[in-house]
Amino acid sequence: MKDELINIALPKGRLGEKVYDIFEKAGYGCPSIRENNRKLTFEDHESGVRYFWVKPSDVAVYVERGAADVGVAGSDILAEYGPDVYELCDLGIGKCRMCVAGKKDRGDDTSRALRVATKFPECAKRFYMKKGREIDIIRLNGSIEIAPILGMSDVIVDIVETGKTLAENDLVVYEEIFPISARLIANKVSHKFKNESISALAAGVERVCAEK
Ligand code: PRP
C-alpha cells in the first residue's frame, strides 16, 4: 500500500493500450483500467498509481503543468510543442516518421514560397528554415493528404507510419525529417520530489521495453 500515488497520463487509443501493457508488466498494474467504460481516471493503491486517459497531443500539457507526474508522448508532439519536461526513456513503440510528401510528378518552383500543409507548423518551419526555403504554412487538423491532391498545397509535412494513406492517394515521400517513437516524460518538479518512485517506474518501464 503506497501513500503517495504517481499520476500518469496515458495517450488514449491504440498506443495507450500498448503503453498500459508495458506499465502493467513493469509492476504498475491497475486492473480497473481494463473495465470497458467511459471512465477517465483509475487508481490502484497497491501499485501506487493513478492513471488518466487524455488525448495523445495533450499528454505533454498535463505533464508540463504537473497535473500528471509522468506520461507517454510521441516525439513528434515533443518536437512540435517543446514542453519543459524531462524525457526519461524511449519506449521503442509508436514508431513512425515525420516526412515531406506530395504528388508523384510535382516540379518545384523555387521562385515562390512553398505551400506546406501540416498539423506540425513548428517542425515544418524549422526544417525549411535550415534549408533557407521560404514557405507558406497551411495549418490543418487532419486529412492533410487532401491538400496537395486538391492543389491547395505543394507538399505536406506529416506523419507516415505504414505509408498506406500516401500510397492510396497517389502521394510519395520526398524526404524524411526525423524518426518518431513514444517517450516517457516527467514533470520537472515531480521528478525532484517523487524522485525515488519515478526513477523506479522509469527503470521498470525501460526493463520491460528492453525485453521486447
Ligand atoms: C496519421 C497521419 C497520416 C496517417 C499515416 O493520420 O496524419 O494521415 O496517420 O499513417 P499510415 O502511413 O499508416 O497510412 P491520423 O490517423 O492521425 O488521422 P488524421 O488524418 O486525422 O490526422
Side-chain angles (χ1 to χ4, degrees):
M1 191 80 169
K2 307 242 172 73
D3 294 337
E4 195 178 42
L5 302 180
I6 308 178
N7 294 297
I8 306 172
L10 292 175
K12 236 193 287 187
R14 211 160 39 90
L15 176 66
E17 307 289 333
K18 281 192 199 166
V19 171
Y20 174 72
D21 288 344
I22 292 172
F23 279 66
E24 189 179 50
K25 282 197 188 111
Y28 296 87
C30 180
S32 60
I33 210 166
R34 301 274 190 207
E35 288 162 19
N36 193 10
N37 57 27
R38 297 181 76 86
K39 212 169 127 83
L40 296 172
T41 65
F42 302 87
E43 48 185 71
D44 189 290
H45 288 261
E46 285 305 315
S47 310
V49 287
R50 179 185 294 118
Y51 287 104
F52 34 92
W53 294 114
V54 303
K55 215 173 158 174
S57 52
D58 289 341
V59 168
V61 177
Y62 285 85
V63 175
E64 185 177 33
R65 291 193 169 256
D69 298 309
V70 297
V72 173
S75 50
D76 52 334
I77 301 294
L78 301 178
E80 179 64 23
Y81 297 102
D84 189 19
V85 297
Y86 289 132
E87 202 177 301
L88 302 181
C89 70
D90 185 343
L91 276 67
I93 59 171
K95 285 189 177 173
C96 45
R97 304 171 286 150
M98 185 69 73
C99 293
V100 179
K103 279 171 136 174
K104 279 178 188 154
D105 48 3
R106 187 189 72 92
D108 191 6
D109 176 1
T110 50
S111 67
R112 61 164 176 82
L114 186 74
R115 296 167 306 159
V116 182
T118 188
K119 269 194 282 195
F120 299 93
E122 295 307 320
C123 293
K125 276 184 213 162
R126 276 200 299 272
F127 179 70
Y128 283 105
M129 179 108 75
K130 268 192 209 147
K131 286 181 174 284
R133 180 77 157 97
E134 196 192 334
I135 59 168
D136 170 16
I137 294 272
I138 303 168
R139 173 87 169 80
L140 296 175
N141 296 301
S143 304
I144 316 293
E145 291 82 359
I146 296 177
I149 295 173
L150 299 181
M152 183 166 79
S153 79
D154 300 305
V155 298
I156 62 172
V157 164
D158 199 17
I159 290 167
V160 178
E161 190 181 353
T162 61
K164 263 193 189 164
T165 312
L166 291 181
E168 287 185 13
N169 290 289
D170 283 327
L171 301 172
V172 291
V173 169
Y174 296 144
E175 280 177 273
E176 183 175 322
I177 305 181
F178 58 84
I180 298 167
S181 58
R183 309 292 164 89
L184 179 65
I185 56 171
N187 173 270
K188 289 190 165 175
V189 175
S190 306
H191 192 260
K192 190 169 175 192
F193 290 103
K194 295 187 180 178
N195 188 272
E196 207 175 307
S197 45
I198 290 178
S199 298
L201 177 130
V205 166
E206 259 187 300
R207 177 179 46 77
V208 173
C209 292
E211 282 166 4
K212 290 204 303 163

